[in-house]
Amino acid sequence: MPAARESLLDAAYTALTERAWTAVRMVDVAAAAGVSRQTLYNEFGSKEGLARALVRRETDNYLAGVARALSQGPPAAGTRGDAAGRVAAAAAWTLRTARANPLVRAVLTGCWSDRLPAPPPAAADTAPLRAARPGIPAQRAAPSGDGPLPGPAELVGRFCDQAVAALEPDWPEEQLPALGAACETAARLTLACVVAPVTPGTAPSPGRLPAPRSRRGLETEAVSRLVRGAFARVPADAQPGERR
């Protein structure tokens, strides 16, 4: 029942934004979704099963957004700035999503408040790795529907994997290790910005009035600078261009 499942997950997420997960009742979730409580239990088995499915959906949606940001960025045209811009767009999406979605923020940071479901088992660092070409970060296999839920290390790895996959067609094969290193650094810097958001309040230059900027704008600027800095460290001869 795909439609019923999505309606139940939507209802559960709405309930979570209004009250602590411990106060969310299965009967209320079912009623809000317009289905019977038995249908809810048939679909998820228990409240814990509902919570796991909800966390997985939100993290899957986050990763789908990372892929969209990487694909919608400016196409590589022989400059490292194009690659940095696409990864910066994915980093900005990460900040926006973590700010708006408490479940994604909790999975990215590993910090679960009392209002959220119990945190998933810390199994991210033991997830199986797929073989990678020399110099490219090892890729973690996507968890199955019944497997352990992702944690910070898992999501950083998958952010990096997606960035490499989106950009590598435009890079010479011998420079893929440099691309992998830049993407991994950018992913870790992005996570650092989620864990410790930028706070406004820098002093203006003497004689100049600062342009009003929101905290969101400052955070986006900061992560963009960090990502571009990661790609700026790539050697001059390691940049996109025609494949040899």
Side-chain angles (χ1 to χ4, degrees), residues 195-221:
V195 173
V198 173
T199 56
T202 54
S205 301
R208 302 182 74 183
L209 292 176
R213 288 185 294 173
S214 67
R215 177 172 178 168
R216 294 183 181 184
L218 289 169
E219 289 178 349
T220 300
E221 284 183 20

Side-chain angles (χ1 to χ4, degrees), residues 160-238:
C160 180
D161 292 347
Q162 291 187 176
V164 170
L167 299 174
E168 66 176 350
D170 301 299
W171 286 63
E173 187 169 356
E174 65 272 18
Q175 302 301 347
L176 292 181
L179 171 64
C183 288
E184 183 173 10
T185 300
R188 294 186 182 279
L189 290 172
T190 300
L191 178 61
C193 288
V194 173
V195 173
V198 173
T199 56
T202 54
S205 301
R208 302 182 74 183
L209 292 176
R213 288 185 294 173
S214 67
R215 177 172 178 168
R216 294 183 181 184
L218 289 169
E219 289 178 349
T220 300
E221 284 183 20
V223 76
S224 178
R225 286 197 302 271
L226 290 171
V227 169
R228 292 181 181 280
F231 278 84
R233 298 187 187 98
V234 176
D237 61 345

Side-chain angles (χ1 to χ4, degrees), residues 84-105:
R86 294 167 71 180
V87 179
W93 160 259
T94 298
L95 291 186
R96 292 196 303 272
T97 307
R99 190 187 305 116
N101 190 313
L103 290 175
V104 172
R105 179 175 179 81

